[in-house]
Amino acid sequence: MGPSLDLSLISSWLMLWAKQGPKAGVGLATVVISFVFSTYYNVLMSWALYYFFKSFGATLPWVSCNNTWNVVENCSSGFSGNATHLQSASQQFFDHKLLEKTGGIEEAGGLRWELFGYLLIAWVIVYLCIFKGVKSTGKVVYFTAVFPYFILFALLINNVQLPGAKNGILFFVTPVWSKLFEVKVWVNAAAQVFNSIGIAFGSMISMASYNKFNNNILRDALIVSITNSCTSILAGFVIFSAIGYMAHIHNLPVDNIATDGPGLVFVVYPEVLSTMPVFQLWASLFFFMLLCLGLDSQFATVEVAVTFIKDEFGTKLLRFIKREELLALTVCITCFVLGIPHITKGGIYVFQLMDHYTAVVSLMFLAFFEVVSICWIFGVSRVSLMVKRMQGKTPNIYFRFCWLLLCPILVLCILTSSIVQYTPVHYGKYTYPVWAEWVGWGISLISIVWIPLGAIQEIYNNKGSLLQRLKTAMTPTIDLDAEDPLPEKQNLDNPTSEALLTSVA
């Protein structure tokens, strides 16, 4: 939790001292990656809505093999484990009913009109929650961030009483030491922490820009990091107690059922829910919880784009868009349109490609350059002085050590290892064609390219020899001796608490 605490702290005060806006370089790159993330992430909400409304029937549709979408000869109404010739009814529901999946990214198929409608509903919900800015988002998050905890605890209390739950929990808490030497484990873990906290996405920076100048950022970073870690552990107990129960029912090892990615949430857990007493209640509550959690993340990333446009182009833009609500509407419509390829029959392959190259590859690069630019180029001494200006006291040696060495070196090691041991994206057993790989790298470059472009622009605009231009470009221009130079945004009733809660969500 230590490095994630310090990375979240870096994100929290970065915008407080840079309210002039992310005009180039890493700042602009974080805005772009947040926007790209927003275009496809809401697809998960359309899936959650689909499952939510399917949960109210007399029977759950992913339980039986006697449906028109099932391939009966290789369908198992129980869990198939690692059997290569069988698919569970839940897996076939996900592949053949929800997605109507084609054979690969080369086969786009037609639109899934039902998912199109659910995606539209998801974006309408997002817009209604953010159109008044962070003020409205903060109030919505009071519910969407807190309510899932009631569901998690209710599921946990129910699950631990099920037979086999103990085995699932033991599988969860028992370390496999050999996995610690696998780079992929560390890369995926880092990507998960970055996603859940919002590091390198710009969401925490955007929310922090609404705080008061002397807000207690050390406390806020601690709250966000500890809450995130504890929630992940709680969710792990909920998930693996249910997986242990599933393993007990089908007399399979727990590791035969445990999986990752969308399969865990939309294949394994729905089948677990179908075996529970009063399954309609637990299924509907579970998918409603997913919807709340997903919307929290979506609020934050969309707000990054909206905040950036308002801060950078607000005066000029309002000549054409008379109301700020119309700006949020424009961003939501744009993201909705760009998300349509993900709800075609071959959309799952597009989704996996986008997610891999946006939420893993690009994120590692952005995190590294963000940390290096602040901790090494801007300098720990300046960072400490800034925090002292805001808090009245210098950060302790733990924070300074993390900023100077631990965070940059840790992120650098993860980035280097992920490059050296790079493996192409895949979806299950499907291998992407070479042209799709190039498209994926193009998606990564959409956000990463702003870093070298920003550096080139800065060097070009400076005067003198190349060495002098480099020195000038790497010299901070913030006047630390000036009085509070940062005008606070006034569109929140309680900016500190509501922006913090949105960051925690």
Side-chain angles (χ1 to χ4, degrees), residues 327-450:
L327 172 60
L329 179 62
T330 303
V331 172
C332 287
I333 291 175
T334 303
C335 290
F336 167 71
V337 172
L338 293 175
I340 290 177
H342 303 284
I343 53 171
T344 61
K345 294 178 181 180
I348 184 63
Y349 302 105
V350 183
F351 177 89
Q352 186 73 8
L353 186 73
M354 289 281 291
D355 190 53
H356 179 80
Y357 284 99
T358 300
V360 178
V361 177
S362 297
L363 206 58
M364 293 298 109
F365 278 94
L366 291 185
F368 172 71
F369 284 107
E370 183 176 307
V371 170
V372 167
S373 62
I374 296 169
C375 297
W376 287 353
I377 297 177
F378 188 74
V380 172
S381 59
R382 289 189 180 90
V383 171
S384 300
L385 183 57
M386 288 162 55
V387 174
K388 184 178 181 180
R389 280 283 311 278
M390 291 160 36
Q391 300 294 295
K393 58 182 179 180
T394 303
N396 61 44
I397 191 171
Y398 166 75
F399 284 107
R400 298 200 301 273
F401 171 74
C402 287
W403 294 336
L404 182 63
L405 291 176
L406 185 57
C407 289
I409 292 176
L410 180 61
V411 175
L412 176 62
C413 289
I414 294 174
L415 175 61
T416 304
S417 300
S418 64
I419 293 173
V420 171
Q421 301 189 20
Y422 167 77
T423 55
V425 61
H426 62 89
Y427 178 68
K429 296 180 180 179
Y430 173 76
T431 302
Y432 283 78
V434 175
W435 66 264
E437 288 284 321
W438 283 104
V439 170
W441 282 109
I443 293 169
S444 291
L445 288 175
I446 288 175
S447 57
I448 297 174
V449 72
W450 298 104

Side-chain angles (χ1 to χ4, degrees), residues 125-152:
I125 295 172
V126 170
Y127 173 72
L128 292 177
C129 294
I130 71 166
F131 78 106
K132 288 292 186 182
V134 181
K135 180 178 179 178
S136 62
T137 304
K139 288 180 170 57
V140 171
V141 170
Y142 278 120
F143 173 77
T144 57
V146 174
F147 177 74
Y149 285 100
F150 290 99
I151 306 300
L152 282 173

Side-chain angles (χ1 to χ4, degrees), residues 296-307:
D296 287 337
S297 299
Q298 191 70 10
F299 294 159
T301 52
V302 174
E303 188 62 41
V304 173
V306 174
T307 300

Side-chain angles (χ1 to χ4, degrees), residues 224-355:
V224 170
S225 300
I226 291 179
T227 303
N228 174 72
S229 299
C230 292
T231 303
S232 298
I233 294 171
L234 173 63
F237 278 103
V238 171
I239 295 294
F240 279 90
S241 59
I243 288 177
Y245 168 61
M246 199 70 183
H248 173 80
I249 288 179
H250 297 292
N251 197 28
L252 290 170
V254 175
D255 58 351
N256 276 34
I257 294 179
T259 185
D260 57 4
L264 176 61
V265 175
F266 293 104
V267 176
V268 175
Y269 213 82
E271 186 157 350
V272 173
L273 294 168
S274 68
T275 64
M276 293 182 178
V278 200
F279 54 78
Q280 292 97 336
L281 173 65
W282 293 117
S284 57
L285 286 176
F286 176 76
F287 289 112
F288 185 69
M289 178 190 71
L290 282 184
L291 186 63
C292 291
L293 294 172
L295 288 174
D296 287 337
S297 299
Q298 191 70 10
F299 294 159
T301 52
V302 174
E303 188 62 41
V304 173
V306 174
T307 300
F308 166 72
I309 295 172
K310 284 195 297 187
D311 287 352
E312 292 297 314
F313 311 106
T315 305
K316 298 177 181 178
L317 201 62
L318 288 176
R319 297 175 188 172
F320 305 97
I321 302 178
K322 300 301 181 182
R323 297 174 62 86
E324 291 187 3
E325 291 87 345
L326 294 178
L327 172 60
L329 179 62
T330 303
V331 172
C332 287
I333 291 175
T334 303
C335 290
F336 167 71
V337 172
L338 293 175
I340 290 177
H342 303 284
I343 53 171
T344 61
K345 294 178 181 180
I348 184 63
Y349 302 105
V350 183
F351 177 89
Q352 186 73 8
L353 186 73
M354 289 281 291
D355 190 53

